Amino acid sequence: MAVRIKDVADKAGVSVATVSHVINGTKHVSDKKRTCIMEAINELSYTPNYLAKSLKENKSKVIGLVIPDISNYFFTEIATAIEHTLSLSGYNLLLCNSNEELELEIRHIRQLRSYMVSGMIIAPTTKDYDYRSLLGNADYPVIFIDRKLSNVQGDSISVDGAEAIEKAMDYLISKGHKSIGFIGAQTALSTTEDRFAGYKQALEKHGIAYNPRICGFGKAKIVEAREICKKILSEDKVTALIVSSSLMSIGAMQFLSDYMIKIPDEIAIIGYDDYIWSTITTPPMSTISQPTKEIGEKAAKLILERIKNPEKDIENIVLNAKLIIRQSC
């Protein structure tokens, strides 16, 4: 016979409501009572039936998260911060990976809707898709992170990529570089659009002509960056590179190392996202550091606030990145 929440309450000597508050994190319970309840749960091997609860209340304590590339450290760090923050309020995270494929992303979102999630956090695969029609008249909050949309009004959290790239360009130009290549992800992404805008703004500000031959775009993958790097360096004499994607930064560094191009003597390079590998490359790589933990924490807190207060004003939070200078430029 299945163990019920009442069995846990009886064993712990508390009310069913108190057990529920501990399980769902909905109200403060004294440490003494919480300990008794947790001991009773462990002894009885009680597992809450969240599905039954969801069907009864037409909602769950689950937040869906759709990210475009789980192999990208940027998104895994954000997911970790979201999961931790949600757990403090008794919520669980259901993670889906779209692999930068719109059709797969659409299937994930539809599936999450069928699970009666309490909300969704989405890093979209494109800025131009009509997510409004896909989400329908959702009675749960949806927050878009990292990538902005062209046609959807709603809560969002992003980083000012244009400013970050412009600062990196200012630094390279101050070191005497005039021919600076740019490697970016797909142009359908708002992040690429913003970062490329920062690149061009810096060129204009310093009176340097824009040269499209030393700019390349592709999927945010290591192998794509290698090919783009090869093409750019074969076109013109490039003395510095800006790489506006973390995985593409790895690919560019690999290419330069494989072809024994000396960094920074023959070419300087600044990558994107500051992970541990940036400090152990030869030489250590200068990067633009995004506040990944802050993005995740703010996304989780914002969706929890929206669940409690659906009528609150829309928030579009824009965070700043930092330029970390090492020996690669």
Side-chain angles (χ1 to χ4, degrees), residues 178-180 199-200 203-204 206-212 214:
K178 302 297 183 185
S179 182
I180 305 170
Y199 170 82
K200 294 175 78 173
L203 292 177
E204 183 177 358
H206 292 279
I208 301 172
Y210 165 60
N211 180 359
I214 59 174

Side-chain angles (χ1 to χ4, degrees), residues 23-261:
I23 292 171
N24 297 305
T26 50
K27 188 176 180 180
H28 175 73
V29 176
S30 69
D31 292 342
K32 184 177 179 180
K33 287 184 179 180
R34 180 182 294 275
T35 299
C36 290
I37 291 168
M38 294 309 298
E39 287 177 352
I41 287 173
N42 292 332
E43 288 181 29
L44 296 173
S45 298
Y46 172 70
T47 303
N49 190 338
Y50 289 113
L51 178 59
K53 181 179 174 66
S54 299
L55 291 170
K56 182 179 179 180
E57 300 181 1
N58 198 31
K59 62 180 181 179
S60 67
K61 297 280 285 189
V62 176
I63 302 297
L65 172 62
V66 184
I67 58 174
D69 187 358
I70 200 168
S71 68
N72 188 326
Y73 307 120
F74 173 75
F75 291 112
T76 53
E77 285 199 353
I78 288 176
T80 299
I82 290 173
E83 191 278 332
H84 175 71
T85 306
L86 291 176
S87 69
L88 298 177
S89 295
Y91 278 77
N92 296 298
L93 184 69
L94 184 55
L95 175 64
C96 300
N97 178 35
S98 69
N99 199 33
E100 295 285 11
E101 297 174 13
L102 179 60
E103 290 303 315
L104 181 56
E105 179 184 57
I106 291 170
R107 291 204 302 272
H108 282 321
I109 292 173
R110 286 175 175 161
Q111 192 172 35
L112 288 172
R113 290 183 63 185
S114 72
Y115 289 161
M116 294 180 288
V117 294
S118 293
M120 284 191 215
I121 301 172
I122 303 171
T125 58
T126 177
K127 66 179 188 296
D128 298 320
Y129 182 72
D130 185 8
Y131 287 88
R132 186 186 296 107
S133 63
L134 174 62
L135 294 164
N137 297 319
D139 59 352
Y140 48 80
V142 178
I143 295 176
F144 293 94
I145 59 171
D146 183 45
R147 302 165 176 186
K148 294 174 287 188
L149 300 173
S150 302
N151 54 3
V152 176
Q153 294 296 318
D155 295 312
S156 67
I157 300 173
S158 60
V159 176
D160 191 340
E163 181 191 50
I165 292 292
E166 188 170 351
K167 284 182 178 178
M169 288 287 289
D170 288 343
Y171 180 83
L172 291 173
I173 292 168
S174 74
K175 292 293 184 179
H177 296 284
K178 302 297 183 185
S179 182
I180 305 170
F182 181 91
I183 296 177
Q186 301 98 312
T187 52
L189 301 177
S190 67
T191 46
T192 301
E193 192 175 65
D194 290 345
R195 294 167 194 177
F196 190 48
Y199 170 82
K200 294 175 78 173
Q201 286 165 13
L203 292 177
E204 183 177 358
K205 179 172 65 177
H206 292 279
I208 301 172
Y210 165 60
N211 180 359
R213 293 192 305 274
I214 59 174
C215 298
F217 304 89
K219 291 183 179 180
K221 302 291 183 182
I222 292 173
V223 65
E224 292 259 345
R226 290 177 62 92
E227 292 302 314
I228 294 170
C229 194
K230 181 179 181 179
K231 183 177 184 300
I232 286 176
L233 297 186
S234 68
E235 290 286 347
D236 286 272
K237 177 59 178 176
V238 175
T239 64
L241 274 176
I242 292 276
V243 189
S244 69
S245 157
S246 58
L247 291 179
M248 298 183 97
S249 299
I250 297 173
M253 284 291 279
Q254 281 186 354
F255 175 84
L256 297 176
S257 176
D258 289 349
Y259 283 81
M260 293 182 287
I261 298 172

